[in-house]
Amino acid sequence: MSNPKGKTYIVEHLDPELGQWSELEYVAIAKETQVAQGTFLLSSLPEAFNVPPALSQVPAFKPERRGVEELYANDKSRVCLLDPSASSDLGPDDGDKFDAFLFGGILGDDPPRDRTSELRKKGFEGRRLGPKQMTTDTAVRVTRMVVEDKIPLDEISYLDFPELKFNDHESTQMPFRYVKGQDGKPMMPEGMIQLIEKDADKSIDDLF
Ligand code: SAM
């Protein structure tokens, strides 16, 4: 049986560049993985990729030029792909079966475009995290709760499609499932609410 702690979380970078939104998500994944004494691999990074300091200063974070197929060429069966289209859901026992958990480095979209299919083609065994689309940091958080803390998926408290209220007149609804934090609010990376508010202001300005 493998050690339930010290898991590896791999996000295969699939977008051409690292946007601000992804950076905040990856910093949150890195910090939480650090606390859990695991490793966060950001794989398939382009040659010219500059790792932002907020990420490189977290010891659990490992930037990687190679793709996951090359990294795990001899160990494919130890890697689980978190796949919204998989036929079975992730369970606490999967923490014994797999050492590494693989996620698509893709921003959430509505409706989902199934870009996780790019990883599905590589033949890793897949597991679903329930029927609703999560942000990448939420997907990693939920995976860790299931395989390390052994909490079954249906016992986790979620907030689906929460509305973020910026003031009396402005709010935005997020089309994703989040983990409910102890304060009753959706768990989000530090700085994300401010970024969403800024992006919402920008799109309102674009209308004029
Ligand atoms: N719209 C997406 C797509 O094109 O596939 C989903 C992207 S989601 C924001 C980023 C990653 O989180 C996915 O590639 C997957 O690894 C993981 N993920 C998110 N929700 C999931 C779910 N319900 N079940 C399994 N994995 C999920």
Side-chain angles (χ1 to χ4, degrees):
M1 199 197 272
S2 62
N3 179 356
K5 290 280 172 199
K7 296 287 184 199
T8 297
Y9 296 89
I10 312 161
V11 173
E12 181 100 333
H13 189 67
L14 295 170
D15 283 331
E17 53 192 38
L18 183 73
Q20 277 178 297
W21 182 301
S22 303
E23 182 177 332
L24 293 181
E25 290 193 351
Y26 295 168
V27 171
I29 296 170
K31 288 185 174 165
E32 289 173 29
T33 306
Q34 178 68 35
V35 172
Q37 299 170 30
T39 303
F40 169 33
L41 277 182
L42 186 57
S43 57
S44 238
L45 289 174
E47 215 42 59
F49 186 86
N50 282 323
V51 179
L55 269 176
S56 58
Q57 68 199 19
V58 185
F61 174 75
K62 306 265 178 289
E64 180 56 66
R65 305 257 176 247
R66 290 172 295 171
V68 66
E69 261 178 314
E70 193 185 337
L71 284 169
Y72 283 87
N74 301 317
D75 234 358
K76 225 171 167 173
S77 64
R78 303 298 299 172
V79 180
C80 172
L81 169 66
L82 282 302
D83 179 356
S85 299
S87 51
S88 51
D89 279 347
L90 187 76
D93 290 349
D94 288 316
D96 300 327
K97 186 160 191 226
F98 301 106
D99 299 317
F101 296 88
L102 170 63
F103 304 80
I106 314 158
L107 279 185
D109 43 18
D110 184 31
R113 280 185 295 155
D114 190 24
R115 288 190 51 213
T116 309
S117 58
E118 294 178 38
L119 293 174
R120 194 178 308 133
K121 284 186 219 136
K122 300 182 193 285
F124 294 102
E125 199 170 329
R127 293 284 186 274
R128 195 181 71 149
L129 296 167
K132 302 217 162 72
Q133 182 179 194
M134 299 174 180
T135 59
T136 310
D137 62 299
T138 304
V140 175
R141 188 170 299 120
V142 168
T143 299
R144 197 193 318 279
M145 291 169 87
V146 175
V147 300
E148 296 191 26
D149 305 335
K150 306 285 180 197
I151 307 174
L153 265 185
D154 58 4
E155 289 179 19
I156 296 175
S157 301
Y158 303 106
L159 282 172
D160 292 337
F161 317 129
E163 184 163 3
L164 305 180
K165 244 179 158 309
F166 304 124
N167 55 45
D168 285 350
H169 311 287
E170 285 173 292
S171 67
T172 196
Q173 190 175 26
M174 304 305 293
F176 309 114
R177 164 170 276 187
Y178 294 87
V179 174
K180 186 176 181 178
Q182 287 187 335
D183 56 2
K185 294 183 181 155
M187 290 181 76
M188 286 187 175
E190 236 179 284
M192 185 58 90
I193 305 239
Q194 291 80 347
L195 183 62
I196 294 168
E197 186 174 5
K198 207 172 83 194
D199 283 357
D201 283 349
K202 235 190 277 161
S203 30
I204 289 168
D205 286 347
D206 289 347
L207 294 173
F208 298 102

